[in-house]
Amino acid sequence: MELQTKDPNSNPPAVGEQVPGAYPIQQPWQPTAYPTQPQPQAAGQPPPALAGQTVVTAQPVGTTYVTMPMQVFSPEPRAMQCTNCGKNITTETRKANGAAVWVVVGWICLMTIWCCMWPFAFIPLCMPSLKDTIHSCPECKFILGKHSPGGASL
């Protein structure tokens, strides 16, 4: 392979001139215009291209949203209408360990680990007042909501 050298006294290539062995010249980027959008027509007037023709337009079908107030649950059963089966019922309740129980267990465990009294940390697991109350429908067994002593609810 032979290395070619240029004469330092020769003139440089002119602007836009292709030099052998160099990358091809790229054209500068030109932004393209977006296509124009049709102008809105006044209500009841057909577009100009369709003047004299019958135009059938479909009306969009409306969506109806039904908002229901947020249900507030307590530790006791309550009378309400089931959102799943639609029957008027009194909710069934059951207790389950929730976040409040585990926060208290963790806190007691951390505070009593140095004096070997950590087994007392599990007492909150036996306290129903710290557990979550889960409300369900007695007919369809659908879970309707939950009451948490810590404030979080479903």
Side-chain angles (χ1 to χ4, degrees), residues 57-145:
T57 58
Q59 297 295 325
V61 177
T63 304
T64 304
Y65 293 98
V66 177
T67 57
M68 296 178 65
M70 177 85 171
Q71 298 288 336
V72 179
F73 293 98
S74 67
E76 294 82 29
R78 62 173 291 195
M80 64 179 293
Q81 183 177 8
C82 178
T83 56
N84 188 46
C85 65
K87 294 182 180 177
N88 290 325
I89 50 111
T90 300
T91 61
E92 286 182 343
T93 59
R94 64 179 171 88
K95 299 286 188 177
N97 291 329
V101 171
W102 293 109
V103 167
V104 173
V105 166
W107 184 81
I108 293 173
C109 191
L110 287 175
M111 294 296 127
T112 60
I113 193 135
W114 60 273
C115 61
C116 296
M117 298 186 69
W118 59 267
F120 291 110
F122 297 100
I123 291 174
L125 294 172
C126 302
M127 297 175 64
S129 62
L130 288 176
K131 294 184 176 188
D132 291 349
T133 305
I134 299 172
H135 292 260
S136 60
C137 175
E139 300 292 327
C140 65
K141 305 300 182 204
F142 183 74
I143 295 176
L144 300 167

